[in-house]
Amino acid sequence: MTEHSTDGPLLGPAEIRELAERAGIRPTKTLGQNFVIDPNTIRRIVAAAPLSPEEHVLEVGPGLGSLTLGLLAASSSVTAVEIDPPLARQLPETVARFYPEAAPRLSVVEADAARVRELPRGTEPTALVANLPYNVAVPVLLHILETFPSVRHGLVMVQDEVADRLAAGPGSRVYGVPSVKASWYATVSKAGVIGKNVFWPAPKIASGLVRLDRREPPAGEELRVPTFAVVDAAFAQRRKTLRAALSGWAGSGARAEQVLRAAGVDPSERGEKLDVADFARIARADAAVPALGADAPSHAASRPGAAPARGELGPEEVTLREPGQRESSPDESTPGGSSQGERQ
């Protein structure tokens, strides 16, 4: 039975199953397809965002539209990025059926959220609210934060252990590449845990809510990719001292020590103790310390551990996995080549 929030309808289990059947989707744990079927969970996500009536919300991976309806009730408009053609085609029909007065305020972009670089003309989202596909949540999140600076805040649902990693601070045992790179763009905190039984089918582990509030980066944009290269190298061997972990990146252990000392960082420290501003100082110092020897690398992009062109993936990067399955590698694609393969 369709329920109503303060301003609009929300989908229940019967509607979700009927919409899945209409779209030709039979969710299975093997494929990682998990749909939110509890209206109270949607209310909780929307309330935790929080959204003002004039906000333009960007939603990634809307699936069958359970969260989309809640977002339309709480904001001025929603742009939903959906990679699966049947789901992208059905979403406007779902909104027109259950919330017809909100249908003109929905835009659907059929695209891969990990690669989308522009939205319909005039679209400048101010908030990101999404149930991110588990296996690609981190790269999608970083890509959105980089590509759409108009997004000032957000709330995303990810696998609970990755929510902990994204929100972790220096010194935490789960602090790593996702923690540092996300903190370049935003202040990140954990906003709650979502149980397994609000999904159909129920996953094997809980989900976590992550809140993001945009902040000024610790350095200029020209240092973002070099900084991310330092982060990748430092956490590729996280138990080693920075002098040892950065030796390949810097060209030698001796030069790594020079760069670290120039940045005011103890070479015997480990990367897990540094915050994003520390890593940015190392990247800045690297440009000022001469290479040792004619064959030494001349810039971070040519070194082992350097970031890709847009600096978003690294050796310790967490790409989320289907509940109960092994963690995938950063370059591993979802079933069928989709980078948004898991639906909620």
Side-chain angles (χ1 to χ4, degrees):
M1 177 179 180
T2 306
E3 296 190 26
H4 284 259
S5 66
T6 303
D7 299 307
L10 296 174
L11 303 177
E15 288 83 12
I16 291 295
R17 289 180 171 86
E18 185 259 320
L19 289 169
E21 182 177 358
R22 177 175 296 189
I25 293 176
R26 297 181 180 180
T28 67
K29 294 180 181 179
T30 302
L31 295 178
Q33 293 172 317
N34 305 95
F35 299 95
V36 178
I37 59 173
D38 176 44
N40 285 329
T41 298
I42 299 301
R43 294 187 181 97
R44 180 181 172 189
I45 293 171
V46 173
L51 300 170
S52 61
E54 63 274 9
E55 297 242 42
H56 185 150
V57 179
L58 177 61
E59 183 184 10
V60 173
L64 295 169
S66 53
L67 178 57
T68 309
L69 292 171
L71 296 175
L72 283 167
S75 66
S76 67
S77 58
V78 173
T79 297
V81 180
E82 174 57 60
I83 195 173
D84 191 335
L87 292 175
R89 287 193 298 268
Q90 181 170 277
L91 186 59
E93 299 172 3
T94 298
V95 173
R97 172 183 170 188
F98 292 100
Y99 198 1
E101 59 269 38
R105 297 189 283 112
L106 170 68
S107 298
V108 178
V109 177
E110 186 181 318
D112 182 348
R115 294 177 174 84
V116 66
R117 305 214 64 83
E118 60 182 10
L119 298 174
R121 183 175 299 178
T123 299
E124 290 195 355
T126 58
L128 169 68
V129 185
N131 301 335
L132 290 177
Y134 277 173
N135 55 338
V136 291
V138 170
V140 166
L141 177 61
L142 295 177
H143 175 75
I144 294 296
L145 289 173
E146 177 198 344
T147 306
F148 301 105
S150 62
V151 172
R152 306 310 303 171
H153 68 108
L155 186 86
V156 296
M157 183 158 65
V158 297
Q159 193 175 12
D160 191 42
E161 66 185 66
V162 179
D164 290 336
R165 295 191 185 196
L166 283 167
S172 167
R173 65 179 182 82
V174 295
Y175 181 70
V177 172
S179 324
V180 182
K181 291 186 179 181
S183 68
W184 176 277
Y185 304 101
T187 299
V188 185
S189 59
K190 192 170 181 182
V193 177
I194 302 294
K196 299 176 286 186
N197 293 331
V198 302
F199 296 95
W200 170 62
K204 294 181 180 179
I205 58 176
S207 300
L209 296 177
V210 177
R211 181 178 291 117
L212 307 114
D213 292 288
R214 178 82 70 169
R215 69 182 185 91
E216 287 298 313
E221 173 62 17
E222 73 281 358
L223 273 182
R224 180 180 58 80
V225 170
T227 298
F228 283 10
V230 181
V231 174
D232 292 339
F235 284 99
Q237 304 177 79
R238 65 179 295 146
R239 302 311 303 165
K240 292 188 175 183
T241 66
L242 284 167
R243 185 188 190 279
L246 297 181
S247 61
W249 166 84
S252 69
R255 186 174 183 278
E257 181 168 345
Q258 285 187 322
V259 172
L260 289 164
R261 293 195 184 281
V265 176
D266 185 347
S268 67
E269 192 60 273
R270 290 181 171 84
E272 60 194 25
K273 300 294 185 181
L274 274 56
D275 64 16
V276 67
D278 296 325
F279 284 108
R281 289 204 314 276
I282 295 171
R284 183 180 290 110
D286 172 57
V289 174
L292 301 180
D295 296 331
S298 60
H299 54 81
S302 66
R303 297 177 185 130
R310 304 203 65 83
E312 294 185 346
L313 296 178
E316 200 260 1
E317 187 80 67
V318 174
T319 55
L320 304 186
R321 62 187 185 276
E322 178 186 340
Q325 290 194 346
R326 65 176 177 85
E327 199 168 272
S328 59
S329 66
D331 296 325
E332 192 171 318
S333 61
T334 59
S338 165
S339 66
Q340 283 173 239
E342 305 201 24
R343 301 294 167 203
Q344 298 177 343

